[in-house]
Amino acid sequence: MLTTNPFDDDKLREECGVFGVSGSDSAAALVALGLHALQHRGQEAAGITSFDGTHFHTHRAMGHVAGNFDRDEVIRSLPGTVAAGHVRYSTTGETALRNVQPLYAELQSGGFAIAHNGNISNAMKLRRDLVRRGSIFQSTSDTETIIHLVATSTYRTLLDRFIDALKQIEGAYSLVVMTPEGMIACRDPLGIRPLVMGRLGDAVIFASETVALDVCGATFDRAVEPGELIIVQNGELRSIHPFARPAPRPCIFEWVYFSRPDSIVGDHSVYSVRKEIGAQLAAEAPVDADLIIPVPDSGVPAAIGYAQASGIPFELGIIRSHYVGRTFIQPGDQVRHLGVKLKHNANRALIKDKRVVLVDDSIVRGTTSLKIVQMMRDAGAAEVHMRIASPPTRHSCFYGVDTPERSKLLAHKLSLGGMTDFIHADSLAFVSIDGLYKALGHARRADIHPSFCDACFTGDYPTTLTDQDETAEVDQFAMLAERLN
């Protein structure tokens, strides 16, 4: 089996999306709707856990929400007025049912279910310490570390044990937690990963993106603040801030690619920001051309912004079929090569003899850009220019994004000229980090902490990276030992 989308196999992928409902007789059904809207954040697996006041009920499955949670019998098996769900794209832990969330455990205080968006950057160290003290792990997910920290905490109340656990972890997290006492939603102190709160009648809803609230008919209330814990018990809300309050550093890539364009993130319309990035790109890297062509679908808003700012016509030079499944049987290399055209095909009559500007959101390994440029060449384009609506991705992410090793990132290995030659384009340009910040109404100053986490572009990581640092030390020791031998 092979993914037939030639443009999605070389993208940065968000780890997951979370959705929680408290106070609705249709809690599980609402969660299923919300997960449909968050499917783009994780397509490997999905899960829902509900609580009926006495018992917890869970259904988890590999694959998409559709086909697993659109059957009446599945929703009926998840009774209760409280439910939480998760869609997963793994960045830590194997792709297996035991890692599908929400993860659930029976603690001394009762059932405990947790759905996590992000990545714990000291999970390996914590796991070693917990195993040494007798903890028995059932998954390879970093999220399970939180459960064991709660279980082994010496604080008296469950809330205090949960806070104690959070104070021991590094990295990025947005969490929805279910206990017999109620639901808890929280974000890490830097707010790296998003989480919002909405309402539907008497129900309180938490979601990774506002679009999930829209889909289930809820109204957007506000974002969960960085470092905030919101506790929902019997319809009552309580907010606490148990951590120090550093300047927030939300992930800037949410606006570049991860979030759906119809979402609102941090008071900014994602669609509007992406158009403005395109306009900034047009100002920074103009080109004499005939057509602006988006790389579907994530390049569309930036391409519109580029076209409007440059005065060059916007055209759909790559046509996407919406009626092809994710995979199909590949009986041989020739058919395998042709298979990529099932989902995307060049609009040959439009492109022939034209100077085209392709606009995409990012370049990771460069293999996708190479395919797209060649597609334009094969369709008869006179010139092919590439414009990227983010700065060069030179560094790996350790906060819940599936990034290749740094050595495999094209922008880490090659200069701009080398990247241009690699993808066989006539020219290549990226929006600057200053242009990206400007599109969000900010300025990146060297004398203060930046307003966002932009580590994948700059290498400026906002937290310590214990596991990564330990791995680097081991690798350096192994290299030294090899030299000595």
Side-chain angles (χ1 to χ4, degrees):
M1 307 288 276
L2 176 73
T3 298
T4 59
N5 186 342
F7 307 148
D8 284 351
D9 57 0
D10 190 28
K11 295 287 187 184
L12 297 180
R13 299 187 187 273
E14 238 282 355
E15 182 181 2
C16 54
V18 298
F19 193 92
V21 176
S22 178
S24 171
D25 292 335
S26 304
L30 288 173
V31 171
L33 281 175
L35 294 183
H36 272 287
L38 298 174
Q39 186 73 85
H40 60 287
R41 299 185 76 91
Q43 301 182 32
E44 286 187 353
I48 297 177
T49 297
S50 69
F51 180 60
D52 63 9
T54 305
H55 298 100
F56 287 83
H57 309 268
T58 296
H59 184 82
R60 301 183 296 169
M62 306 303 296
H64 286 189
V65 179
N68 286 312
F69 291 96
D70 52 4
R71 302 192 307 276
D72 288 342
E73 61 268 24
V74 172
I75 300 301
R76 285 198 300 270
S77 72
L78 298 166
T81 61
V82 183
H86 187 273
V87 287
R88 181 174 192 263
Y89 185 90
S90 61
T91 62
T92 62
E94 62 185 330
T95 302
L97 191 60
R98 63 175 175 161
N99 287 331
V100 180
Q101 298 184 30
L103 297 183
Y104 176 80
E106 288 283 348
L107 306 184
Q108 183 179 8
S109 55
F112 186 92
I114 183 169
H116 172 207
N117 174 22
N119 190 60
I120 300 172
S121 58
N122 63 337
M124 290 191 296
K125 181 180 184 302
L126 291 171
R127 186 184 182 106
R128 287 196 303 269
D129 294 342
L130 286 162
V131 169
R132 194 177 299 118
R133 288 156 48 192
S135 292
I136 300 173
F137 281 73
Q138 301 298 318
S139 76
T140 57
S141 169
D142 61 329
T143 308
E144 191 180 353
T145 305
I146 300 173
I147 296 176
H148 289 275
L149 290 173
V150 173
T152 57
S153 174
T154 58
Y155 282 83
R156 187 176 62 85
T157 70
L158 177 61
L159 181 59
D160 287 338
R161 290 199 295 270
F162 181 57
I163 293 170
D164 180 40
L166 296 182
K167 288 183 175 179
Q168 298 178 62
I169 64 177
E170 301 170 358
Y173 56 84
S174 284
L175 304 173
V176 175
V177 173
M178 296 168 55
T179 77
E181 298 176 15
M183 176 171 281
I184 306 172
C186 65
R187 289 174 76 189
D188 64 80
L190 291 173
I192 298 175
R193 301 262 69 87
L195 190 64
V196 297
M197 180 174 68
R199 295 176 185 271
L200 181 63
D202 294 330
V204 179
I205 300 179
F206 299 100
S208 292
E209 292 184 37
T210 59
V211 67
L213 302 177
D214 297 339
V215 167
C216 68
T219 57
F220 170 63
D221 190 346
R222 65 177 178 87
V224 178
E225 296 176 5
E228 181 183 22
L229 274 71
I230 299 178
I231 302 99
V232 186
Q233 292 178 303
N234 301 318
E236 299 294 324
L237 270 69
R238 182 159 59 103
S239 169
I240 59 175
H241 288 82
F243 311 107
R245 297 198 188 188
R249 297 279 298 274
C251 172
I252 202 167
F253 222 88
E254 289 290 343
W255 291 275
V256 172
Y257 175 69
F258 294 144
S259 295
R260 268 181 43 166
D262 45 344
S263 279
I264 305 294
V265 178
D267 298 326
H268 294 285
S269 158
V270 174
Y271 178 78
S272 296
V273 170
R274 288 179 186 167
K275 280 183 62 179
E276 184 58 31
I277 295 172
Q280 291 291 328
L281 186 56
E284 294 180 357
V287 59
D288 190 12
D290 302 308
L291 302 174
I292 306 300
I293 295 175
V295 176
D297 287 318
S298 56
V300 171
I304 293 173
Y306 193 107
Q308 291 176 348
S310 66
I312 302 172
F314 170 95
E315 296 286 358
L316 296 179
I318 302 171
I319 305 301
R320 178 186 175 189
S321 170
H322 295 269
Y323 305 101
V324 179
R326 294 183 67 221
T327 58
F328 83 116
I329 303 298
Q330 304 284 345
D333 288 341
Q334 182 179 5
V335 176
R336 185 188 305 272
H337 174 71
L338 295 174
V340 298
K341 294 185 177 181
L342 282 176
K343 273 202 171 179
H344 295 88
N345 191 41
N347 192 346
R348 186 176 297 270
L350 180 73
I351 292 166
K352 184 173 173 57
D353 298 326
K354 296 295 196 305
R355 299 166 299 170
V356 303
V357 179
L358 292 165
V359 179
D360 203 357
D361 58 86
S362 61
I363 289 182
V364 184
R365 296 179 182 88
T367 52
T368 293
S369 300
L370 178 62
K371 292 177 187 176
I372 300 167
V373 171
Q374 188 59 50
M375 181 183 290
M376 296 296 100
R377 301 276 191 211
D378 293 343
E383 296 176 11
V384 183
H385 304 271
M386 197 88 183
R387 295 296 180 265
I388 305 301
S390 63
T393 303
R394 294 192 172 98
H395 305 272
S396 298
C397 176
F398 303 103
Y399 300 121
V401 178
D402 182 34
T403 316
E405 296 175 10
R406 190 179 178 191
S407 61
K408 295 180 181 178
L409 295 170
L410 192 69
H412 172 73
K413 297 188 295 184
L414 299 175
S415 65
L416 181 61
M419 287 190 284
T420 307
D421 292 341
F422 178 85
I423 67 173
H424 298 166
D426 290 285
S427 74
L428 169 67
F430 298 79
V431 73
S432 68
I433 189 70
D434 291 336
L436 181 56
Y437 269 67
K438 189 175 180 180
L440 280 155
H442 290 256
R444 196 180 199 280
R445 293 171 48 188
D447 59 329
I448 61 173
H449 286 300
S451 304
F452 305 96
C453 176
D454 55 20
C456 54
F457 308 131
T458 65
D460 180 6
Y461 295 98
T463 75
T464 52
L465 300 170
T466 298
D467 291 343
Q468 181 64 22
D469 293 341
E470 287 184 355
T471 300
E473 288 178 6
V474 170
D475 290 344
Q476 289 176 356
F477 180 80
M479 290 174 62
L480 177 61
E482 185 176 342
R483 289 173 186 167
L484 292 174
N485 290 333

